[in-house]
């Protein structure tokens, strides 16, 4: 043998047999770690995740920054004096941002299918449910990156943030649940797809309407009834309300707890339904 | 390994995609510890057979046992005992060689894998590059890395889909040695697919020749070659040719067309060629090719066409690799 090192014994010297295997969490942690490694090693992924919400603050916030505070107060806020539109907008932007990250999870899944990596995974004793769950958790985790950056950016824009540590914990939990729910939803819808375009199309059908009919940019009280009907069941709106309560107004009420519960339910239902769908329909290639 | 000594045992194995029958009632018996080859043109159903035997695709009809387990009933047990090397070399290019091994160990749920991984890296001479992203590896190194991944959990059966497609002649020869080494030294049963005659001939203990999803012949390479008692002459002319003229030549027992060429079955090429030159205007002969008994001539004998041209389109695999790697960047 010209290439092999003859001193290396190839026979099984390490006792790794089928019966000596560790639990299924091994597959889960491995795939989840892969998602994180691939995300955080790719600078562009980070840039895209961060720039989008930042643009919202800069341009959308900038657009309305010259409107007089009296007009704004009447139209939008009914908030404590000194509250700027930016501090109204920030919670909404973070919530819409958590919704759109689901699209990246769907795209990375399609990439794995197209480059064959899904075959490499599924030819091992790994279940489709595990693949699905790690993708959903991976993209939700990635969405969290924007939180500290947005907080820093908002502070730099002169926004004062309120809220106790406990209220912040509730707010961030809400964002995680929202991100999980939408990642689960996007991944479930695209689980049988291998087309690069699908996540973008689906995303436009879901993200755009839910973003505008959420109260994330403007208060839902100014909406026409049909949009308000959407806002009433829109998880993005619930998260925006919860975030605004904590960050802008510095409170955490019983209503906010209900919002949090609703977000938990949303995430749970999406994950359960998505796992069932993906176990059946997740395509290998 | 199953009790009756078969590493792979399938009966009436069938896979349909809608109305397309990719694998058509195939019976397959692969003794444990052997190297078995599926030889056939592109699109014959070789890769599909691997997919259904490894549980990647559902079996439409028939039964299959791999490493002693029923593929339909216990796919997870089968998956624990098989390794797989893809034709297109599938690795995670964003991860290093060592990280690819680590992920594979996680997916195979191995508790104690590092010593084994180091041995494999040493065997495949990849130890120096273990920390580099596999995206920077050469094609030969990537192929070796993929085989290392397939061996990490000590599979009983390893499936290699077109293991040397698109590789240089010297890398191909090196891989042949590796495959033989894997089989002999690791004691792993190997099922490989190929559309290279020479590869099947050199590597395989037994070969099944496959065309349109069916096994058209099975046996050891020498058995199969012994079956054909004829030579084949392939001839391409610049002008249209009346096959009756070819049939009239003494010693020609059969004439078939393939594209612009004619394939003549003759008793002995040495005796047939002078007669052929006599019968045809030699300046009209554009190309002539003699096929002595080989696995190729077995395929020609049964199907009337050559393996490497029989597929609908012959891909340029170098270009294919290049595009895949560019797309990954």
């Amino acid at each position: 043998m010209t290439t092999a090192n003859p001193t290396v014994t190839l026979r099984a010297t390490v006792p790794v047999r089928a019966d000596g295997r560790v639990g299924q969490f091994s597959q889960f942690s491995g795939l989840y770690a892969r998602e994180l490694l691939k995300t955080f090693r790719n600078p562009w992924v980070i840039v895209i995740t961060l720039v989008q919400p930042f643009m919202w603050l800069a341009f959308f916030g900038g657009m309305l920054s010259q409107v007089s505070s009296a007009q704004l107060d009447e139209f939008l806020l009914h908030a404590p004096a000194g509250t700027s539109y930016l501090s109204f907008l920030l919670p909404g932007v973070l919530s819409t941002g958590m919704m759109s990250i689901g699209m990246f999870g769907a795209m990375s899944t399609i990439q794995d299918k197209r480059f064959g990596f899904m075959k490499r995974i599924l030819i091992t004793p790994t279940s489709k449910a595990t693949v699905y769950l790690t993708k959903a958790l991976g993209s939700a985790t990635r969405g969290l990156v924007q939180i500290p950056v947005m907080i820093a950016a908002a502070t730099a824009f002169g926004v004062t943030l309120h809220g106790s540590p406990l209220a912040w914990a509730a707010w961030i939990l809400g964002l995680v649940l929202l991100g999980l729910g939408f990642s689960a939803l996007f991944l479930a819808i695209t689980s049988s797809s291998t087309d690069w375009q699908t996540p973008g199309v689906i995303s436009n059908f879901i993200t755009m309407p839910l973003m505008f009919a959420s109260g994330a940019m403007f208060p839902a009280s100014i909406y026409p009834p049909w949009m308000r009907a959407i806002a009433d069941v829109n998880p993005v709106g619930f998260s925006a309300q919860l975030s605004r309560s904590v960050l802008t107004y510095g409170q955490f009420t019983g209503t906010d707890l209900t919002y949090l519960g609703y977000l938990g339910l949303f995430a749970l239902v999406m994950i359960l339904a998505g796992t069932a769908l993906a176990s059946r329909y997740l395509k290998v290639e | 390994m199953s009790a009756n000594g078969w590493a792979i045992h399938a009966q009436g194995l069938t896979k349909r995609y809608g109305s397309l029958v990719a694998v058509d009632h195939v019976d397959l018996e692969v003794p444990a510890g052997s190297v078995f080859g599926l030889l056939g043109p592109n699109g014959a159903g070789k890769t599909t057979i691997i997919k259904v035997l490894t549980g990647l695709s559902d079996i439409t009809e028939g039964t299959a046992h791999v490493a002693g387990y029923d593929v339909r009933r216990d796919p997870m047990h089968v998956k624990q005992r098989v390794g797989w090397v893809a034709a297109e070399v599938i690795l995670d290019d964003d991860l290093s060689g060592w990280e690819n091994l680590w992920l594979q160990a996680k997916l195979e749920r191995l508790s104690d894998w590092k010593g084994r991984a180091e041995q494999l890296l040493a065997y495949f001479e990849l130890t120096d590059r273990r920390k580099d992203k596999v995206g920077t590896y050469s094609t030969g190194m990537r192929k070796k890395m993929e085989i290392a991944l397939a061996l990490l959990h000590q599979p009983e059966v390893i499936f290699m889909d077109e293991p040397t497609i698109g590789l240089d002649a010297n890398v191909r020869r090196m891989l042949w040695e590796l495959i033989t080494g894997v089989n002999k030294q690791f004691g792993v049963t190997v099922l490989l697919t190929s559309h290279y005659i020479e590869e099947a001939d050199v590597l395989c203990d037994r070969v099944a020749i496959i065309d349109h999803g069916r096994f058209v012949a099975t046996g050891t390479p020498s058995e199969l070659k012994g079956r054909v008692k004829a030579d084949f002459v392939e001839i391409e002319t610049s002008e249209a040719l009346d096959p009756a003229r070819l049939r009239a030549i003494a010693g020609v027992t059969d004439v078939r067309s393939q594209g612009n060429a004619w394939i003549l079955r003759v008793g002995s090429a040495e005796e047939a060629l002078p007669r052929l030159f006599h019968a045809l205007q030699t300046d009209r002969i554009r190309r002539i090719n003699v096929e002595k008994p080989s696995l190729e001539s077995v395929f020609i004998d049964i199907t009337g066409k050559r393996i490497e041209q029989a597929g609908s389109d012959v891909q340029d695999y170098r270009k294919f690799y290049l595009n895949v790697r560019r797309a990954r960047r």
Side-chain angles (χ1 to χ4, degrees):
Chain A
M1 190 154 285
T2 52
T3 56
N5 180 348
T7 62
V8 175
T9 315
L10 288 168
R11 287 212 172 274
T13 54
V14 185
V16 187
R17 283 258 59 104
D19 47 356
R21 284 168 195 254
V22 294
Q24 289 192 354
F25 184 71
S26 156
Q27 295 159 340
F28 188 91
S29 64
L31 287 175
Y32 179 57
R34 170 176 180 253
E35 289 299 310
L36 297 190
L37 277 176
K38 284 178 83 75
T39 301
F40 293 107
R41 271 192 196 160
N42 187 341
W44 295 111
V45 171
I46 302 293
V47 168
I48 292 168
T49 313
L50 297 183
V51 161
Q52 199 190 19
F54 187 81
M55 291 292 184
W56 272 104
L57 275 195
F59 286 89
F60 213 81
M63 200 162 64
L64 289 167
S65 63
Q66 299 306 308
V67 180
S68 81
S69 60
Q71 276 176 304
L72 262 183
D73 189 48
E74 194 190 340
F75 180 54
L76 294 176
L77 301 169
H78 310 291
T83 312
S84 67
Y85 178 64
L86 267 188
S87 63
F88 178 90
L89 185 62
L90 173 71
V93 168
L94 278 169
S95 298
T96 38
M98 288 307 281
M99 166 172 66
S100 51
I101 47 115
M103 192 177 83
F104 296 108
M107 279 169 70
S108 91
T109 310
I110 283 168
Q111 180 169 330
D112 278 347
K113 289 176 195 164
R114 292 189 74 110
F115 290 154
F117 206 81
M118 196 62 87
K119 282 190 277 185
R120 168 158 298 297
I121 298 171
L122 290 177
I123 216 146
T124 68
T126 306
S127 69
K128 290 180 177 178
T130 305
V131 176
Y132 170 80
L133 289 171
T134 51
K135 284 281 180 192
L137 194 61
S139 73
T141 309
R142 179 174 148 174
L144 294 178
V145 177
Q146 58 180 337
I147 297 177
V149 178
M150 288 295 290
I151 298 289
T155 313
F157 277 113
V159 175
T160 317
L161 299 171
H162 304 275
S164 66
L166 201 65
W168 273 50
W171 156 62
I172 290 174
L173 179 63
L175 285 181
V176 172
L177 292 170
L178 184 75
L180 268 179
F182 274 106
S183 298
L185 176 65
F186 277 113
L187 280 164
I189 295 175
T190 55
S191 64
S192 70
S193 172
T194 52
D195 193 325
W196 292 115
Q197 315 292 339
T198 339
V201 174
I202 305 278
S203 165
N204 270 308
F205 273 106
I206 296 178
T207 314
M208 290 277 277
L210 288 191
M211 176 178 78
F212 286 113
S214 68
M217 311 296 154
F218 301 104
S221 53
I222 64 166
Y223 288 174
W226 67 270
M227 270 181 85
R228 213 178 304 158
I230 300 176
D232 284 344
V233 292
N234 183 351
V236 182
F238 287 80
S239 167
Q241 291 299 329
L242 168 65
S243 309
R244 196 162 289 143
S245 222
V246 172
L247 291 184
T248 314
Y249 308 136
Q251 37 180 276
F252 185 75
T253 63
T255 318
D256 296 323
L257 195 62
T258 315
Y259 290 150
L260 192 60
Y262 179 89
L263 288 168
L265 190 68
F266 169 69
L268 187 70
V269 169
M270 286 302 152
I271 286 173
L272 290 179
T275 307
L277 279 173
S279 302
R280 233 183 124 179
Y281 298 109
L282 182 67
K283 269 217 187 134
V284 175
E285 57 187 341
Chain B
M1 196 182 305
S2 71
N4 52 19
W6 301 118
I8 302 170
H9 190 275
Q11 277 185 317
L13 190 66
T14 301
K15 175 69 186 179
R16 275 191 281 270
Y17 294 103
S19 61
L20 175 80
V21 185
V23 179
D24 193 359
H25 295 90
V26 159
D27 295 331
L28 180 61
E29 287 172 342
V30 180
S34 66
V35 179
F36 191 94
L38 296 176
L39 179 66
N42 294 324
K46 301 178 305 258
T47 304
T48 309
I49 289 179
I50 291 188
K51 281 189 195 157
V52 293
L53 288 178
T54 51
L56 262 189
S57 280
D58 296 333
I59 296 171
T60 312
E61 213 182 296
T63 59
H65 286 77
V66 174
Y69 286 87
D70 187 325
V71 180
R72 291 177 113 163
R73 260 184 311 180
D74 289 318
M76 287 302 181
H77 278 108
V78 170
K79 288 176 181 189
Q80 282 178 12
R81 287 162 180 80
V82 302
W84 169 70
V85 178
E88 62 267 43
V89 195
I90 297 168
L91 301 165
D92 192 327
D93 285 4
D94 295 335
L95 303 183
S96 70
W98 186 254
E99 284 165 343
N100 269 281
L101 284 159
W102 159 83
L103 182 60
Q104 189 71 19
K106 286 284 203 175
L107 294 175
E108 294 288 355
R109 293 163 42 199
L110 307 178
S111 52
D112 189 8
W113 57 274
K114 286 184 183 162
R116 170 90 172 167
E118 274 159 12
Q119 282 182 0
L120 287 166
L121 284 175
Y123 181 73
F124 290 109
E125 299 184 323
L126 291 168
T127 308
D128 298 348
R129 299 289 304 274
R130 54 190 279 175
K131 287 186 178 158
D132 299 338
K133 284 190 183 176
V134 294
T136 65
Y137 287 17
S138 69
T139 307
M141 291 169 73
R142 293 166 63 79
K143 201 84 212 179
K144 289 193 209 167
M145 190 70 217
E146 212 192 8
I147 300 176
L149 292 183
L151 289 171
L152 186 62
H153 62 295
Q154 293 183 280
E156 291 172 33
V157 183
I158 187 163
F159 293 89
M160 296 188 175
D161 195 1
E162 298 277 2
T164 65
I165 197 163
L167 298 178
D168 294 336
N170 52 340
V171 181
R172 173 173 301 168
R173 214 147 291 133
M174 174 205 80
L175 263 170
W176 286 356
E177 287 176 1
L178 283 178
I179 292 168
T180 309
V182 161
N183 171 248
K184 296 277 176 293
Q185 297 192 52
F186 285 73
V188 180
T189 307
V190 177
L191 183 139
L192 63 86
T193 74
S194 186
H195 68 279
Y196 298 124
I197 314 300
E198 200 192 347
E199 184 162 293
D201 205 351
V202 168
L203 291 177
C204 301
D205 300 320
R206 289 177 69 78
V207 172
I209 297 180
I210 179 171
D211 188 38
H212 295 298
R214 288 171 176 272
F215 282 3
V216 292
T218 312
T220 67
S222 52
E223 271 170 20
L224 289 172
K225 282 182 279 188
R227 197 183 282 191
V228 188
K229 303 272 189 285
D231 294 345
F232 290 89
V233 176
E234 191 186 3
I235 184 166
E236 198 182 312
T237 52
S238 53
E239 281 169 37
L241 206 59
D242 182 3
R245 271 179 72 195
L246 295 171
R247 282 201 190 90
I249 299 168
V252 173
T253 55
D254 193 18
V255 176
R256 289 165 177 178
S257 71
Q258 180 174 18
N260 314 324
W262 295 95
I263 297 178
L264 317 182
R265 188 181 211 273
V266 297
S268 149
E270 288 82 352
E271 289 168 22
L273 280 176
R275 292 189 205 121
L276 187 64
F277 291 138
H278 184 73
L280 301 176
Q281 280 174 284
T282 43
D283 57 345
R284 287 190 187 163
I285 299 174
R286 192 182 274 163
R287 187 173 64 86
I288 197 156
N289 178 42
V290 172
E291 198 69 57
K292 301 298 282 181
S294 69
L295 292 177
E296 177 82 69
S297 68
V298 178
F299 191 79
I300 295 174
D301 191 33
I302 298 169
T303 68
K305 48 193 184 178
R306 298 179 65 88
I307 288 182
E308 293 190 33
Q309 289 170 6
S312 51
D313 57 332
V314 180
Q315 281 196 42
D316 183 345
Y317 276 89
R318 294 201 154 276
K319 222 169 177 180
F320 167 75
Y321 272 126
L322 206 66
N323 285 335
V324 166
R325 297 187 66 173
R326 260 191 214 132
R328 280 180 180 147
R329 293 263 153 80

